């Protein structure tokens, strides 16, 4: 009898960990399928349907024959509208052209394209921490080294030039920015963002600015790096339709970069996935080009997220021992896990207990390299969010008091 040869992962993925954000929602789905009542505040996925005019545009495009390959970097009208939106913000050197835009299968792919094409062995990449779980892994998949730059929790974990400089070396090649931030919900003010871009320019670092939550901001608009940049030869802005337009499953993201970087990423993508799904590109085109209809839909969804944020915070704040950040954007709450008497805050243990005792799925802060914290997504039905926050407060108190 032949014995099976054990699988030995390649060097490329030897250190790879699966996405913790995805894992939480998979687990919640599996528990639901097994009959348990679960509130899933794990993955950051809007609970709304894609707006009707976008769905109809996709149907129309299909009927008109949008079923074949497109250019690797996307259909021209979509790249042009993305360039137009960028030029409405950017007043620095070098207008944005359609050829500076690469459309991909989601902003996740755009980020990966950028990491692989810009970073490599020996390079260090500054990652303001906490940050979305996949940044660290993508930088490592590019065989570069992610360097955590821990923000100050009293400043919403935002980083400053001083903090970045303290972790920079001669090997630093770039920085990953994300405002509004997943997982903290923090939003950089224009002057904060400008100061970081100025530092990056003076050091010759690439800036990867992930702006997937840019339209989801509450108390004031979130600025794009394009609003404050004066040059863009080392700036790569990443965005997509998933979060603001409730289009997670359509898988459309893009980059706005220098022509040379766009060319490299297109070449890379030509060997990995080719064009993003043709019908999805047409749906994204409707979302971006039909501005009035889109604004109505997006504003309504953002207003709903806003109401949920306020409702969730009001419940959490009834327990003054809960240390929760004040999120200005995205749809996440970030709070410090409770510490049992004599112990320390343990996000993993708190999440496990919430799932076990209350059927509530949230993401441990270890996914974002801050294991004392936890992330709650409020991109879910408001009554579920409120019910979940009451459960969370109850379990929080039980841990603090060493009961249960
Ligand atoms: N970005 C979302 C999250 O952080 C969706 C899951 C993922 O791709 O990580 O929950």
């Amino acid at each position: 009898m032949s014995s099976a040869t054990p699988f030995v992962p390649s060097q490329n993925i030897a250190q790879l960990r699966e996405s913790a954000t995805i894992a939480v929602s998979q687990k919640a789905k599996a528990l639901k399928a097994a009959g348990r009542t679960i509130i899933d505040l794990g993955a950051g996925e809007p609970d709304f349907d894609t707006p009707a005019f976008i769905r109809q545009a996709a149907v129309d495009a299909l009927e008109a024959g949008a079923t074949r390959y497109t250019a690797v970097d996307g259909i021209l009208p979509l790249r042009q509208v993305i360039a137009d939106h960028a030029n409405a913000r950017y007043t620095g050197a070098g207008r944005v052209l359609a050829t500076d835009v690469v459309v991909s299968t989601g902003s996740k792919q755009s980020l990966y394209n950028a990491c692989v094409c810009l970073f490599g062995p020996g390079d260090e990449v500054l990652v303001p921490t906490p940050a979305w779980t996949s940044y660290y892994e993508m930088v490592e998949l590019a065989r570069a080294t992610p360097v955590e730059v821990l923000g100050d929790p009293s400043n919403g974990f935002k980083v400053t030039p001083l903090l970045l400089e303290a972790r920079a070396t001669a090997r630093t090649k770039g920085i990953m920015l994300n405002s509004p931030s997943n997982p903290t919900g923090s939003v950089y003010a224009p002057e904060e963002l400008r100061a970081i871009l100025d530092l990056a320019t003076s050091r010759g670092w690439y800036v990867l600015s992930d702006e997937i939550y840019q339209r989801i901001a509450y108390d004031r608009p979130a600025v794009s790096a394009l609003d404050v940049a004066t040059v863009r030869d080392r700036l790569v802005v990443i965005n997509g339709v998933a979060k603001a337009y409730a289009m997670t499953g359509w898988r459309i993201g893009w980059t706005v970069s220098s022509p040379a970087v766009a060319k490299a990423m297109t070449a890379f993508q030509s060997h990995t996935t080719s064009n993003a799904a043709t019908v999805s590109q047409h749906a994204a085109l409707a979302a971006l080009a039909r501005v009035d209809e889109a604004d109505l839909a997006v504003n309504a969804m953002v207003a709903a997220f806003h109401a949920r944020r306020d409702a969730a915070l009001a419940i959490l704040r009834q327990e003054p021992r809960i240390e929760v950040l004040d999120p200005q954007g995205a749809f996440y709450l970030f709070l410090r896990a409770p510490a049992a008497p004599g112990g320390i805050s343990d996000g993993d243990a708190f999440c496990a207990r919430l799932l076990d005792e209350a059927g509530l799925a949230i993401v441990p802060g270890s996914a974002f390299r801050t294991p004392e914290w936890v992330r709650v997504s409020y991109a879910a039905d408001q009554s579920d969010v409120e019910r979940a926050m009451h459960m969370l407060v109850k379990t929080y108190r039980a841990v603090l008091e060493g009961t249960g």
Side-chain angles (χ1 to χ4, degrees):
M1 239 178 59
S2 69
S3 62
T5 315
F7 166 61
V8 180
S10 77
Q11 272 302 107
N12 296 331
I13 61 155
Q15 308 299 325
L16 188 73
R17 283 157 287 197
E18 80 170 310
S19 165
T21 45
I22 303 269
V24 168
S25 61
Q26 302 283 347
K27 183 157 186 199
K29 282 193 181 84
L31 288 170
K32 271 188 202 170
R36 270 198 67 187
T37 306
I38 299 289
I39 299 182
D40 182 6
L41 303 187
E45 176 167 31
D47 55 320
F48 301 108
D49 289 333
T50 301
F53 78 94
I54 300 174
R55 302 199 308 266
Q56 188 58 49
V59 171
D60 294 345
L62 273 179
E63 292 302 328
T67 58
R68 296 175 190 269
Y69 291 140
T70 70
V72 167
D73 49 357
I75 55 173
L76 183 58
L78 176 57
R79 285 185 289 127
Q80 187 58 58
V81 77
I82 292 166
D84 293 344
H85 283 303
N87 282 320
R89 294 183 170 279
Y90 179 67
T91 54
R95 304 295 291 156
V96 178
L97 304 175
T99 44
D100 303 339
V101 176
V102 181
V103 174
S104 75
T105 302
S107 64
K108 200 175 242 183
Q109 185 182 18
S110 295
L111 279 155
Y112 183 64
N113 283 350
C115 285
V116 167
C117 293
L118 299 176
F119 310 131
D123 294 336
E124 294 177 359
V125 181
L126 301 175
V127 185
T129 296
W132 180 48
T133 188
S134 295
Y135 294 161
Y136 307 97
E137 303 293 336
M138 287 183 187
V139 169
E140 277 176 5
L141 284 170
R143 291 183 290 162
T145 305
V147 175
E148 295 171 24
V149 183
L150 189 64
D152 177 352
S154 68
N155 188 30
F157 278 109
K158 289 186 279 188
V159 297
T160 58
L162 213 62
L163 289 173
L164 293 167
E165 278 181 307
R167 301 285 282 143
T169 71
R171 288 172 178 265
T172 304
K173 186 85 182 285
I175 169 170
M176 313 287 284
L177 288 182
N178 178 218
S179 174
S181 157
N182 174 6
T184 62
S186 294
V187 176
Y188 283 77
E191 56 279 9
E192 293 171 328
L193 199 52
R194 191 175 298 119
I196 293 173
L197 292 183
D198 287 349
L199 172 68
T201 303
S202 73
R203 295 294 187 88
W205 299 339
Y206 283 104
V207 174
L208 274 58
S209 183
D210 175 358
E211 302 184 356
I212 191 71
Y213 298 99
Q214 195 263 330
R215 294 203 64 173
I216 306 171
Y218 306 116
D219 307 315
R220 69 191 86 85
V223 289
S224 160
L226 290 165
D227 292 313
V228 295
T230 50
V231 288
R232 58 178 197 88
D233 54 326
R234 285 177 181 255
L235 174 64
V236 182
V237 175
I238 297 101
N239 210 328
V241 288
K243 311 289 185 181
Y245 302 88
M247 292 179 69
T248 47
W250 298 80
R251 311 310 303 135
I252 293 291
W254 58 82
T255 42
V256 174
S257 69
S258 71
V261 171
K263 199 165 169 227
M265 292 191 294
T266 304
F268 178 64
Q269 191 168 296
S270 77
H271 292 293
T272 53
T273 55
S274 294
N275 64 275
T278 304
V279 66
S280 294
Q281 292 189 58
H282 286 275
L285 174 61
L288 297 188
R290 291 165 61 173
V291 173
D292 293 343
E293 290 156 282
D295 282 354
L296 264 180
V298 172
N299 293 343
M301 290 189 274
V302 172
F305 292 140
H306 196 157
R308 296 168 189 181
R309 177 198 71 163
D310 290 351
L313 277 175
I315 295 165
L316 294 181
R317 289 200 170 126
Q318 286 167 13
E319 171 46 80
R321 292 173 293 182
I322 296 182
E323 185 185 349
V324 56
L325 300 186
D326 193 13
Q328 309 296 313
F331 33 60
Y332 304 111
L333 295 171
F334 205 55
L335 54 128
R336 197 189 287 275
I344 55 161
S345 297
D346 183 340
D348 288 283
F350 187 50
C351 289
R353 183 162 173 179
L354 279 172
L355 190 58
D356 191 42
E357 292 179 6
L360 171 59
I362 63 171
V363 181
S366 53
F368 316 105
R369 310 271 171 123
T370 42
E372 294 183 5
W373 294 70
V374 297
R375 186 193 81 174
V376 172
S377 165
Y378 52 89
D381 180 78
Q382 184 159 333
S383 60
D384 280 350
V385 171
E386 291 180 16
R387 218 149 39 89
M389 291 306 96
H390 286 297
M391 291 169 173
L392 190 149
V393 170
K394 189 167 164 236
T395 309
Y396 198 102
R397 288 180 176 144
V399 174
L400 283 185
E401 284 142 26
T403 54

